[in-house]
Amino acid sequence: MMTLPPAVLPIFAAAGWFPGRRVHLPPTVPASHPVAAILSEFHGLKVGELGPGIECARSDVSFWWPPDEGYEEISEIGALLQTELACFASAHNSHESLYVDGEGRVFVVSPEMPGIGFMGRNFGEAMERALLGLKASPLLLPSHDKVSWYGEVLLRGDPQILSIEKLMTG
């Protein structure tokens, strides 16, 4: 069972989730990857709604396999972290895609907001950020000099940017 923070439990319950929920997964879902644990519990649900949040807009999250694939940034971050990232949901009215890596860390990518965001070290933290409207941390990939983040252009060296090295060391 995935651990959900108390603040988002009512949001998931309103969408039809209940503790112990299990659904059959398509055979293409990699069973040994954290994506399988997420989808076995939440596949087919749409949770949350758009609106004002604590630091930024709240999001909705729609769980399905595979909602989106093929972002260059995802391939690059997977290579840097030496892990495979798997998409498990679309968010923000399908304008964003959520990915989980082999360690269970969650990332967000949007074609409308160049760059990649770090949503959380685990699924629960990521859901709290998305559903309550807490900002993700911008990641600046080595192949980029800047990232556009929540309407700001952040340059390499900006303290708001989470480096790959810091992400890897905790």
Side-chain angles (χ1 to χ4, degrees):
M1 183 171 134
M2 299 304 297
T3 302
L4 292 169
V8 299
L9 284 172
I11 300 169
F12 275 86
W17 173 83
F18 53 90
R21 181 180 188 268
R22 291 283 177 256
V23 298
H24 179 74
L25 296 178
T28 54
V29 175
S32 62
H33 193 281
V35 73
I38 293 169
L39 290 174
S40 69
E41 195 166 345
F42 304 107
H43 189 270
L45 293 180
K46 181 177 179 184
V47 299
E49 57 186 46
L50 301 176
I54 296 169
E55 298 175 341
C56 60
R58 287 184 323 222
S59 185
D60 58 342
V61 178
S62 297
F63 297 91
W64 54 301
W65 175 261
D68 208 347
E69 292 293 339
Y71 288 105
E72 237 178 77
E73 295 91 346
I74 290 300
S75 298
E76 187 173 347
I77 195 142
L80 290 167
L81 297 175
Q82 299 179 348
T83 184
E84 184 179 341
L85 280 86
C87 193
F88 65 89
S90 61
H92 208 73
N93 211 20
S94 297
H95 293 285
E96 300 174 344
S97 296
L98 298 176
Y99 289 79
V100 63
D101 74 4
E103 302 294 319
R105 297 172 290 208
V106 178
F107 302 86
V108 62
V109 180
S110 170
E112 296 168 13
M113 187 165 58
I116 186 167
F118 179 64
M119 292 293 287
R121 297 209 174 276
N122 58 57
F123 176 78
E125 184 180 328
M127 290 302 98
E128 194 168 47
R129 284 187 185 285
L131 297 173
L132 300 181
L134 297 166
K135 288 183 178 180
S137 297
L139 285 172
L140 185 62
L141 299 173
S143 63
H144 297 101
D145 292 323
K146 62 185 176 184
V147 63
S148 176
W149 205 247
Y150 295 101
E152 253 186 292
V153 175
L154 306 177
L155 302 175
R156 186 173 304 285
D158 188 302
Q160 296 178 75
I161 296 174
L162 177 64
S163 71
I164 297 296
E165 296 77 23
K166 187 170 181 178
L167 178 62
M168 291 174 72
T169 59

